[in-house]
Amino acid sequence: MSLVHLLLFFGLVIAASSSPGSRLILREIADQKDRAVELNTSNFDSVLKDTPAKYAVVEFFAHWCPACRNYKPHYEKVARLFNGPDAIHPGIVLMTRVDCALKTNTKLCDKFSVSHYPMLFWGPPTKFVSATWEPKKDKSEILVIDDGRTAERLLNWINKQIDSSYALDGQKFENEHALSNLTDYNQAVYDVEEATAEAFDIILVQKAIKSSETSASFIRFIQLLAAHHLSRRCRKGAAEILVNYDDLCPSGNCSYEKSGGKDTLGNFPICGKDVPRGYYMFCRGSKNDTRGFSCGLWVLMHSLSVRVEDGESHFAFTAICDFVNNFFMCDECRLHFNDMCLSVKTPFKKARDFVLWVWSTHNKVNERLMKDEASLGTGDPKFPKIIWPPKELCPLCYLSSNQKSIEWDHDHVYNFLKNYYGSKLVSLYKEKSVIGSKEETVPATEDLTVATSALVVPIGAALAIAIASCAFGALACYWRTQQKNRKPRRSWN
């Protein structure tokens, strides 16, 4: 069993789900008109345990109940504010429902002493996990919603609980405080996974490994992910691809199809079967064609840069440059990025230099795009390109600045980047990861606090020892020789 993240419509993230059935149900919701998430005995705990939403509403109903059918449009009207690809306020409240008329849910409904239909509960999502509720139970963080019979009354009740002023006719994605999005590390963690999986899916769709050069480029980047990706499930997925690579791509000829029981790249989802999810949170734009994947890819590159050590810095630089050059499908972007890679004449010896190069390169890209978007009107009006980091986040990073130039304090910039893309994301990821089953809980000493111990893969994967302590050159040789004799257990369920 492995951790599997499943982000569910801007307000929901599912991680560590142990039920294939629950993942199938959640995946299919994207194609339904309903926005409230259908829960059942098999997925109830996993969905509520791993969503990034701060609050949850659980409606217990019966499909045969006329009052429930009449109430559904009211409930859905509120659910559309918080759930789904067009949610106005994603990631705040997870709106769910449980059909108590199904025999499989009888025990679940009994645990919450459901006495009438519909019956609505409110609380922090994790408080519902393996929980019970009784009418006379004191000091419970799970509350019965006693005034939610219409959409207006339900939303008013929610507003009172969280001191908000949401309206049913609110404008889509009106974000008057764009800066707050830049410090929402919870959402950034999941977007790193999303960008990783989307990049991998692009390779599958384009069948992009077409030569020994692109094969070598792919291997180097997967090595980098296996050692230093923020997400444990992405590290594991990358490691399994490496160990099985000769079977998946014999002589560089890869099979890409997704088919049961067949050794193809498509059967090795790099971050789990349910990622990518098809949308972003931290990197969500105010329009469908802004931010998203390119933003997520930058967050991924920054998060990788702050995790490598001195002896790995130039390998990481080469791996990222070659990956973008060979697999990033925006041709003009790829060429610009490649030019900046080629401008580096001296190999990086210090990880600090590589961290600052990624930062400087990102700012150069933003400067160029700022001019293009200003002249063409193609930018995101809510999230215009900026020089990073802004003074609001790091005033000490600025020695001086004017409209034409900025003088940076590189020591403070480096410390900011290490903290922003390193320790803050690590602590957030660790916090979300340890709220799982005993099988999935990882001691803090084994988590992501240092780059050299960043890999957690199955014991059967001999790659783990090499990545945990060796330089990448030794790693490449090691997994090649070991994979012939050792096959790791593959299971994403």
Side-chain angles (χ1 to χ4, degrees), residues 6-14 20-40 43-44 46-48 72 76 79-80 82-86 94-98 274 277 279:
L6 181 61
L7 221 88
L8 193 59
F9 311 135
F10 292 76
L12 328 172
V13 172
I14 308 306
S22 69
R23 290 194 293 269
L24 178 60
I25 290 172
L26 297 173
R27 176 70 88 166
E28 289 176 347
I29 291 172
D31 299 323
Q32 299 176 359
K33 294 181 179 180
D34 294 348
R35 289 301 178 233
V37 181
E38 298 283 348
L39 299 182
N40 54 50
N43 69 5
F44 187 86
S46 63
V47 171
L48 290 164
K72 183 177 179 180
E76 277 295 321
R80 289 174 183 275
F82 303 108
N83 295 9
D86 297 318
L94 170 59
M95 304 287 291
T96 69
R97 58 165 59 99
V98 177
D274 299 298
R277 306 158 303 273
Y279 55 89

Side-chain angles (χ1 to χ4, degrees), residues 107-177:
K107 290 184 178 180
L108 175 60
C109 296
D110 287 346
K111 286 173 61 178
F112 287 88
S113 305
V114 176
S115 58
H116 58 273
Y117 303 129
M119 190 172 183
L120 277 61
F121 291 85
W122 165 274
T126 56
K127 297 301 179 181
F128 286 93
V129 176
S130 302
T132 60
W133 181 87
E134 298 175 5
K136 298 181 180 180
K137 192 173 183 180
D138 295 331
K139 298 181 179 179
S140 174
E141 292 188 61
I142 298 176
L143 305 177
V144 173
I145 299 177
D146 54 7
D147 187 20
R149 301 301 297 174
T150 65
E152 291 78 8
R153 291 166 68 176
L154 176 57
L155 186 57
N156 286 340
W157 193 96
I158 292 173
N159 281 333
K160 291 177 182 178
Q161 292 298 313
I162 60 179
D163 193 25
S164 59
S165 57
Y166 299 134
L168 292 173
D169 58 352
Q171 295 293 315
K172 182 179 184 299
F173 204 81
E174 282 295 330
N175 187 351
E176 297 177 358
H177 305 286

Side-chain angles (χ1 to χ4, degrees), residues 452 455 457 459 461-470 475 478 486:
T452 52
L455 183 62
V457 295
I459 296 175
L463 181 64
I465 299 174
I467 293 183
S469 59
C470 298
L475 165 63
Y478 187 83
R486 307 186 72 167

Side-chain angles (χ1 to χ4, degrees), residues 104-404:
T104 54
N105 293 333
T106 298
K107 290 184 178 180
L108 175 60
C109 296
D110 287 346
K111 286 173 61 178
F112 287 88
S113 305
V114 176
S115 58
H116 58 273
Y117 303 129
M119 190 172 183
L120 277 61
F121 291 85
W122 165 274
T126 56
K127 297 301 179 181
F128 286 93
V129 176
S130 302
T132 60
W133 181 87
E134 298 175 5
K136 298 181 180 180
K137 192 173 183 180
D138 295 331
K139 298 181 179 179
S140 174
E141 292 188 61
I142 298 176
L143 305 177
V144 173
I145 299 177
D146 54 7
D147 187 20
R149 301 301 297 174
T150 65
E152 291 78 8
R153 291 166 68 176
L154 176 57
L155 186 57
N156 286 340
W157 193 96
I158 292 173
N159 281 333
K160 291 177 182 178
Q161 292 298 313
I162 60 179
D163 193 25
S164 59
S165 57
Y166 299 134
L168 292 173
D169 58 352
Q171 295 293 315
K172 182 179 184 299
F173 204 81
E174 282 295 330
N175 187 351
E176 297 177 358
H177 305 286
L179 188 63
S180 64
N181 196 52
L182 301 177
T183 57
D184 195 334
Y185 304 103
N186 191 359
Q187 296 180 352
V189 169
Y190 302 115
D191 282 2
V192 170
E193 287 192 324
E194 180 73 7
T196 304
E198 186 170 350
F200 186 72
D201 270 13
I202 289 172
I203 292 173
L204 296 180
V205 171
Q206 298 294 328
K207 299 182 179 180
I209 304 174
K210 299 177 180 179
S211 65
S212 59
E213 178 185 353
T214 53
S215 179
S217 173
F218 177 77
I219 290 171
R220 284 193 294 269
F221 192 70
I222 297 299
Q223 287 174 340
L224 180 61
L225 300 184
H228 295 297
H229 200 287
L230 169 66
S231 164
R232 188 182 304 115
R233 65 183 51 78
C234 294
R235 294 198 308 273
K236 177 180 178 180
E240 292 196 350
I241 291 171
L242 285 176
V243 174
N244 290 275
Y245 189 76
D246 276 355
D247 293 331
L248 301 175
C249 300
S251 302
N253 298 315
C254 300
S255 297
Y256 299 93
E257 294 75 16
K258 298 180 181 180
S259 56
K262 187 178 180 181
D263 282 342
T264 70
L265 274 179
N267 286 337
F268 282 77
I270 194 165
C271 294
K273 290 181 179 179
D274 299 298
V275 186
R277 306 158 303 273
Y279 55 89
Y280 290 83
M281 295 176 69
F282 177 84
C283 285
R284 182 191 185 195
S286 64
K287 300 190 296 184
N288 290 335
D289 57 352
T290 59
R291 307 188 81 221
F293 175 56
S294 59
C295 166
L297 202 60
W298 276 114
V299 178
L300 170 63
M301 288 192 288
H302 284 295
S303 68
L304 290 170
S305 74
V306 299
R307 285 173 175 78
V308 302
E309 296 190 346
D310 289 346
E312 305 164 333
S313 57
H314 199 72
F315 177 92
F317 162 76
T318 303
I320 288 176
C321 285
D322 288 351
F323 184 82
V324 171
N325 188 47
N326 286 302
F327 301 114
F328 196 64
M329 303 307 294
C330 172
D331 196 51
E332 183 178 357
C333 307
R334 177 184 65 81
L335 293 173
H336 279 294
F337 193 88
N338 189 51
D339 286 342
M340 289 183 284
C341 290
L342 294 175
S343 68
V344 177
K345 304 301 183 182
T346 304
F348 290 110
K349 295 181 179 180
K350 296 291 184 181
R352 178 183 184 275
D353 297 334
F354 175 52
V355 171
L356 292 175
W357 180 85
V358 174
W359 160 75
S360 175
T361 299
H362 193 177
N363 273 340
K364 289 177 181 177
V365 170
N366 277 353
E367 285 183 308
R368 178 175 59 83
L369 292 178
M370 274 191 279
K371 297 176 182 178
D372 293 343
E373 292 176 355
S375 62
L376 298 171
T378 55
D380 191 316
K382 298 294 181 182
F383 296 97
K385 294 289 188 296
I386 61 173
I387 298 302
W388 186 257
K391 280 188 176 181
E392 293 87 345
L393 291 184
C394 186
L396 295 177
C397 292
Y398 290 72
L399 290 175
S400 65
S401 63
N402 54 53
Q403 293 183 346
K404 294 184 178 181

